[in-house]
Amino acid sequence: MTTATTTPNSAAKQSSGAPVIQMIGVSKWYTPEFQVLDACSTSVQKGEVVVVCGPSGSGKSTLIKCVNALEPFQQGDIFVEGVKVNDRTTNLPKLRSRIGMVFQNFELFPHLTIMENLTLAQRKVLKRGKDEADAKARKLLQRVGLSDQAPKYPGQLSGGQQQRVAIARALAMDPVAMLFDEPTSALDPEMVSEVLDVMVELAREGMTMMVVTHEMGFARKVANRVIFMDKGAIVEDVPTEEFFGSPRSERAQLFLSKIL
Ligand code: ADP
Ligand code: MG
């Protein structure tokens, strides 16, 4: 990977085009009595890194799952590269292939080798030939420092290695944006930094990212903005410096005092 020197990345600030991700007044109910998202609006520009934080159960996972239509919602609209997610004529497999998603528990295919994990969707969804898919996979494994692991199965790798494979697998699809849902929270402490390092490099290279995390060091280092959620609502959506600076909501202050 190339070494970048700027921080946080400046691409977003210069961007004037349409947002990569735009949410307008998104509300969702899991049951008629239980509203999980309450009129959430935000947008993510090309090259922007947005960290989403907030108490457990505040709706962070639900919010990012709505972006690639892994969860339906009842009110509002979400657009990805201008394409409406909540439109029944939208080609969802195609839309999902444009957005990389990395979960807390890696979610690799356990019965496939690392190499097969990295090439399956390239071949099935993007219709790449074996040589092209293999070459892409090798390049990405090298990038995340796992070139020698290609023939192994996920169960033979550490958690940190599996999560780096999951990131490489998502990148193999050449996504326009990457969504991360607490990518380091299932890891043993000594493995957190090897995953965060890959994410920091990705951010500095200009990848558009929405990252649910409580790693505030990561947020300070690379996030352009921080979204703070509470009880299904976006309570704050502010530049990173402002979030860690003085003027902010009591709820965010309380949250920060507990995790910093
Ligand atoms: P977070 O990621 O911030 O911890 P989630 O989006 O996972 O929050 O969950 C928000 C709330 O919705 C929680 O109260 C959770 O228990 C509830 N919830 C999550 N998934 C479902 C589901 N599939 N059905 C019903 N309730 C759910
Ligand atoms: Mg969650």
Side-chain angles (χ1 to χ4, degrees):
M1 270 176 121
T2 53
T3 322
T5 49
T6 52
T7 174
N9 80 63
S10 49
K13 286 169 189 154
Q14 289 156 10
S15 166
S16 55
V20 178
I21 297 166
Q22 186 172 25
M23 292 191 188
I24 306 167
V26 173
S27 291
K28 173 179 173 70
W29 287 256
Y30 274 123
T31 65
E33 300 79 34
F34 179 49
Q35 183 172 8
V36 63
L37 295 177
D38 184 5
C40 294
S41 298
T42 192
S43 60
V44 184
Q45 299 291 332
K46 188 166 165 47
E48 213 173 10
V49 177
V50 177
V51 158
V52 180
C53 62
S56 178
S58 56
K60 307 178 297 293
S61 296
T62 304
L63 185 81
I64 66 163
K65 280 186 197 152
C66 287
V67 173
N68 59 357
L70 290 179
E71 284 287 353
F73 49 93
Q74 289 83 15
Q75 282 180 11
D77 291 308
I78 299 182
F79 298 89
V80 172
E81 294 186 297
V83 175
K84 195 167 164 183
V85 172
N86 50 311
D87 184 324
R88 55 184 183 81
T89 65
T90 296
N91 181 339
L92 290 183
K94 186 170 169 212
L95 180 130
R96 289 192 188 113
S97 78
R98 304 287 294 148
I99 307 243
M101 177 115 194
V102 175
F103 301 91
Q104 187 172 343
N105 292 313
F106 331 131
E107 316 228 349
L108 297 172
F109 304 117
H111 58 293
L112 298 181
T113 65
I114 301 308
M115 193 60 168
E116 289 161 350
N117 265 279
L118 264 77
T119 53
L120 183 70
Q122 290 192 68
R123 302 200 57 190
K124 293 260 186 270
V125 181
L126 301 182
K127 310 286 180 208
R128 285 179 183 155
K130 184 174 174 4
D131 290 350
E132 188 189 357
D134 284 0
K136 181 94 184 172
R138 276 194 297 273
K139 201 171 126 200
L140 284 163
L141 279 179
Q142 187 181 11
R143 185 173 166 175
V144 299
L146 295 171
S147 296
D148 45 349
Q149 309 296 326
K152 293 192 184 165
Y153 287 85
Q156 298 173 286
L157 270 55
S158 72
Q161 289 175 323
Q162 289 188 55
Q163 195 58 302
R164 284 184 283 149
V165 170
I167 294 171
R169 182 178 64 175
L171 291 173
M173 303 298 281
D174 293 321
V176 289
M178 289 278 286
L179 307 176
F180 294 84
D181 191 0
E182 303 208 32
T184 60
S185 52
L187 299 177
D188 290 336
E190 73 272 20
M191 290 170 189
V192 169
S193 65
E194 68 193 54
V195 171
L196 288 180
D197 287 350
V198 168
M199 293 169 62
V200 166
E201 285 201 38
L202 203 52
R204 290 184 174 165
E205 285 167 9
M207 176 57 77
T208 306
M209 294 163 68
M210 225 174 154
V211 185
V212 176
T213 186
H214 292 161
E215 293 288 342
M216 292 297 130
F218 172 83
R220 279 181 197 262
K221 223 187 256 181
V222 294
N224 300 99
R225 266 170 35 232
V226 177
I227 287 176
F228 176 75
M229 291 187 74
D230 193 28
K231 300 190 180 80
I234 293 178
V235 177
E236 298 214 30
D237 183 353
V238 294
T240 307
E241 317 83 72
E242 200 176 315
F243 185 73
F244 292 108
S246 49
R248 55 177 185 255
S249 68
E250 254 174 55
R251 283 184 282 184
Q253 276 179 22
L254 182 66
F255 173 76
L256 280 174
S257 72
K258 283 183 187 156
I259 65 162
L260 285 181

